[in-house]
């Protein structure tokens, strides 16, 4: 491992200190194009030189092979293939090992640069960014001090392309009244799709938002409409499901705001996140979440929500 990568790992090891601060650390890297890419440091387990990869036939698109990492076999994914930037014969000497819900995978990159720290409100949705081959795989963008844009990859969407959509089994229904519903927020297209399928199978109505700031604005509007009602908002809004990391406002800050607003008293907040380590769960508890559930397991999500909805 190079000295640069070793210093990056030191920063990665301290990443949980940022949870709830509405600040984000982004690992910057290159795929050999002019574009600057980033990945949330919360997702990064380690950065290292690319070892020998075991090539296997019939791999999904973008998977170069597998390797053994401390006794675990993990897939090696070429990000350049996904954005259409792969150059014939190029060897990607660096890999970023990521962890989602206790499963690991490595992404091949040209090089890593540094870690930057930005406020979540400086991280915005990518709707207004210029077109490009990678645009559909970008979950957010931010700007460096020199004005250059950083494209933050939607790692969940890339992994969904590799392993396929999550199968949603038959689920028990939740016994709610006709006017009762759930509010959820997630910036990941893949996660929103899974959540809606789970809630549909549970027979639960819902409203949704794409990032923390949008969710808070809409929730405040809901609260304002109910202030003059005879019954509390909790009679109809039965649960709020929040992602941990989102553009403009993260789930920790959003939860803090919800818990501090009297209009939402009695409405449980469940954090739904691919960041499922004990440290992240502890940070969720510190801001008042009522439950914490890992992403991409529909049965576990339903098992978590139903008892809360039927209290």
């Amino acid at each position: 491992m190079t000295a640069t990568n070793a210093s990056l790992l030191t920063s990665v090891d301290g990443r949980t200190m940022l949870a709830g601060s509405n600040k984000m650390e982004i690992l910057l890297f290159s795929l050999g194009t002019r574009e600057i890419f980033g990945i949330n440091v919360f997702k990064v387990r380690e950065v290292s030189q690319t070892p020998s990869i075991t090539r296997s036939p019939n791999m999904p698109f973008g998977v170069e092979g597998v390797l053994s990492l401390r006794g675990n076999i993990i897939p090696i994914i070429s990000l350049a293939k996904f954005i259409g930037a792969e150059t014939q014969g190029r060897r990607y000497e660096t890999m970023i090992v990521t962890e989602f819900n206790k499963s690991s995978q490595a992404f091949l990159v040209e090089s890593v640069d540094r870690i930057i720290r930005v406020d979540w409100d400086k991280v915005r949705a990518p709707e207004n960014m210029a077109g490009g081959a990678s645009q559909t795989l970008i979950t957010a963008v931010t700007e460096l001090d020199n004005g250059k844009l950083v494209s933050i990859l939607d790692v969940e969407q890339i992994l969904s392309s590799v392993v396929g959509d999550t199968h949603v089994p038959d689920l028990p229904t939740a016994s709610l009244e006709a006017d009762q519903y759930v509010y959820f927020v997630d910036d990941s297209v893949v996660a929103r799709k899974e959540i809606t399928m789970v809630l549909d199978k549970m027979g639960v109505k819902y409203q949704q938002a794409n990032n923390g700031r949008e969710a808070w604005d809409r929730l405040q509007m809901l609260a304002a409409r109910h202030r003059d009602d005879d019954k509390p908002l909790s009679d109809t809004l039965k649960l709020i499901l929040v992602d941990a990391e989102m553009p403009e406002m993260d789930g920790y800050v959003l939860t803090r705001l919800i818990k501090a607003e009297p209009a939402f008293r009695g409405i449980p907040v469940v954090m739904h996140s691919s960041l499922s380590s004990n440290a992240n769960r502890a940070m969720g508890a510190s801001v008042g979440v009522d439950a914490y559930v890992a992403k991409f397991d529909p049965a576990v999500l339903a098992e978590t929500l139903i008892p809360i909805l039927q209290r």
Side-chain angles (χ1 to χ4, degrees):
M1 181 182 301
T2 66
T4 299
N5 286 348
S7 64
L8 285 171
L9 285 178
T10 302
S11 298
V12 170
D13 287 339
R15 62 192 180 272
T16 54
M17 296 174 62
L18 288 179
S21 67
N22 211 37
K23 291 184 181 293
M24 176 190 192
E25 282 192 337
I26 305 169
L27 174 63
L28 303 182
F29 63 90
S30 169
L31 295 176
T33 67
R34 294 182 179 179
E35 200 167 357
I36 303 172
F37 293 96
I39 183 172
N40 191 337
V41 172
F42 271 91
K43 292 183 166 76
V44 178
R45 199 170 102 186
E46 62 182 87
V47 177
S48 67
Q49 293 180 335
T50 304
S52 176
I53 299 172
T54 301
R55 310 284 175 174
S56 301
N58 304 318
M59 284 287 183
F61 174 79
V63 178
E64 297 295 287
V66 297
L67 62 80
S68 176
L69 185 68
R70 283 181 278 285
N72 296 314
I73 303 299
I74 66 171
I76 309 302
I77 300 169
S78 170
L79 289 180
K81 277 190 175 179
F82 278 96
I83 69 165
E86 187 180 44
T87 301
Q88 186 69 28
R90 172 180 282 162
R91 173 172 168 77
Y92 295 94
E93 301 288 347
T94 302
M95 69 177 189
I96 301 172
V97 180
T98 64
E99 187 167 24
F100 291 84
N101 300 339
K102 300 180 182 178
S103 66
S104 298
Q105 48 283 313
F107 294 112
L108 298 178
V109 301
E110 175 81 3
S111 61
V112 295
D113 182 3
R114 65 189 188 278
I115 289 174
I116 61 170
R117 181 175 295 186
V118 297
D119 293 331
W120 269 113
D121 58 9
K122 304 297 183 185
V123 180
R124 62 186 188 276
E127 285 83 5
N128 297 324
M129 64 181 291
S134 61
Q135 184 171 357
T136 57
L137 298 176
I138 302 304
T139 188
V141 294
T142 192
E143 193 171 310
L144 300 177
D145 291 340
N146 60 9
K148 291 185 178 180
L149 288 181
V150 176
S151 301
I152 302 171
L153 287 178
D154 188 343
V155 179
E156 293 169 1
Q157 186 171 333
I158 294 170
L159 292 179
S160 177
S161 300
V162 171
V163 303
D165 291 334
T166 303
H167 171 67
V168 179
D170 291 333
L171 299 171
T173 57
S175 302
L176 297 183
E177 301 296 331
D179 63 342
Q180 294 177 333
Y181 64 98
V182 164
Y183 197 101
F184 74 84
V185 52
D186 202 300
D187 67 309
S188 166
V189 174
V190 175
R192 290 199 303 272
K193 181 180 178 182
E194 180 197 295
I195 294 167
T196 56
M197 288 192 295
V198 168
L199 294 177
D200 284 341
K201 288 204 171 187
M202 290 169 55
V204 175
K205 295 178 182 178
Y206 51 84
Q207 296 184 30
Q208 61 179 295
N210 296 340
N211 64 64
R213 174 63 62 188
E214 177 186 322
W216 179 236
D217 290 344
R218 293 184 181 181
L219 286 168
Q220 286 182 297
M221 292 173 62
L222 286 173
R225 288 203 297 267
H226 280 75
R227 283 196 180 101
D228 297 327
D229 290 354
D230 294 333
K231 60 180 183 178
L233 181 57
S234 59
D235 282 0
T236 52
L237 176 53
K238 303 307 294 180
L239 183 146
I240 301 172
L241 184 69
V242 303
D243 186 17
E245 47 166 347
M246 298 176 287
E248 300 186 43
M249 180 186 292
D250 69 24
Y252 300 102
V253 172
L254 177 59
T255 299
R256 226 184 241 136
L257 291 172
I258 292 169
K259 291 296 183 178
E261 170 56 59
F264 301 114
R265 187 173 294 117
I267 301 174
V269 178
V270 176
M271 186 162 280
H272 184 231
S273 176
S274 59
L275 308 172
S276 55
S277 69
N278 289 335
N280 291 114
R281 290 175 184 271
M283 289 308 306
S286 73
V287 296
V289 299
D290 297 273
Y292 196 112
V293 58
K295 282 185 177 179
F296 308 120
D297 192 330
V300 172
L301 177 59
E303 289 169 3
T304 302
L305 297 184
I306 287 177
I308 300 174
L309 288 171
Q310 299 185 166
R311 282 177 186 171

